[in-house]
Amino acid sequence: MTTPQTRLSTPVTDTLNRHVSIRHYTDQPIPDEMLHSIIEAARRGAPTSSNLQTYSLVVVRDPDTKQKLAELAGGQKHVAACPVFIAAVADLSRVAHAAAMHGVPLGENLEMTLYATVDAALVGMTLCTAAESFGLGTVMIGGMRNKPQEVAQLLGLPPRAYVVYGICLGYPLPERVPSQKARLPHEVVVHYERYEAGDLSAHIAAYDAELAAHYRAEGRNTPDAAWSSVVANNFSKPPRPHLRAALERMGMRFGSGEEGTE
Ligand SMILES: Cc1cc2nc3c(=O)[nH]c(=O)nc-3n(C[C@H](O)[C@H](O)[C@H](O)COP(=O)(O)O)c2cc1C
């Protein structure tokens, strides 16, 4: 298939094509009915594995709680500054409860943890698109996984639940809206019928240069290899090595679920 040059559009694709993460907000509050409409559209629009709905959303407006979450995320000021912060929670507590109502345990293992994590990711993404369609700015906050137990305690999560990421919502401060970051080229990421890696070094070098130009235009210091050097510098060691043990203490399981059985 050759890649068509014309792009068709709908209001949804227009919203998606306008996306840029927003980290600076005006003081304008988000009306309750708008927030409610966004959340209900996300819940309606997000598919969920086996209809288990293994996610919860915790909506935070309290300034003290947002300030504490900002600190737990490594001092991310936008978490405290946004008018509304929503935690996307992978939550197996309800299905464990439902199983117990029928006298059986929940089959807890890696796959069940993935159900909940993917469900939380999907509803949060859908929520972001709904919010951006109303003209709000969003940014996801994976920093919620820096200290997952502290975050869970602060938000009062039950066992078998953790915050996969948070979402800052607010009206974008016009003078601090960044220009869009280029994405990796289509041919590197999208494959037709079979995966074709192609000349990855050349593609990555071209993307490095494009992203470096973007950062410089934004007035930011950047190495020439703007993308690959960040990968090399920040990700040559596994990220958040403590995470699995912390999530296990919170009741999430990562094994087959058949440990100890024949
Ligand atoms: C799961 C996830 C976690 C993220 N965590 C953070 C974060 O902790 N702090 C932050 O400022 N941005 C965070 N981001 C935003 C990314 O940095 C951003 O999406 C990426 O640089 C691409 O930029 P764009 O969204 O403006 O296109 C996160 C994005 C995702 C998808």
Side-chain angles (χ1 to χ4, degrees), residues 19-23 25 30 35 38-39 42-43 46 55-61 66 69-70 73 76-89 119-132 136-145 151 155 163-171:
H19 166 78
V20 60
S21 288
I22 296 294
R23 298 178 178 84
Y25 315 95
I30 300 175
L35 185 59
I38 289 165
I39 291 170
R43 280 177 6 91
Y55 65 83
S56 293
L57 299 168
V58 183
V59 180
V60 180
R61 295 179 194 260
K66 282 188 290 153
L69 289 170
Q76 299 201 43
K77 290 189 183 128
H78 34 286
V79 174
C82 66
V84 175
F85 181 84
I86 300 183
V89 181
D119 272 3
L122 292 177
V123 76
M125 178 64 228
T126 311
L127 193 151
C128 285
T129 301
E132 290 180 18
L136 295 175
T138 72
V139 61
M140 293 182 177
I141 305 295
M144 290 295 103
R145 298 192 306 278
V151 168
L155 298 181
V163 177
V164 181
Y165 61 91
I167 302 165
C168 300
L169 294 175
Y171 282 96

Side-chain angles (χ1 to χ4, degrees), residues 242-255:
H242 62 283
L243 188 60
R244 177 175 172 165
L247 295 188
E248 281 179 336
R249 283 194 293 276
M250 296 163 71
M252 309 307 289
R253 296 291 165 252
F254 296 89

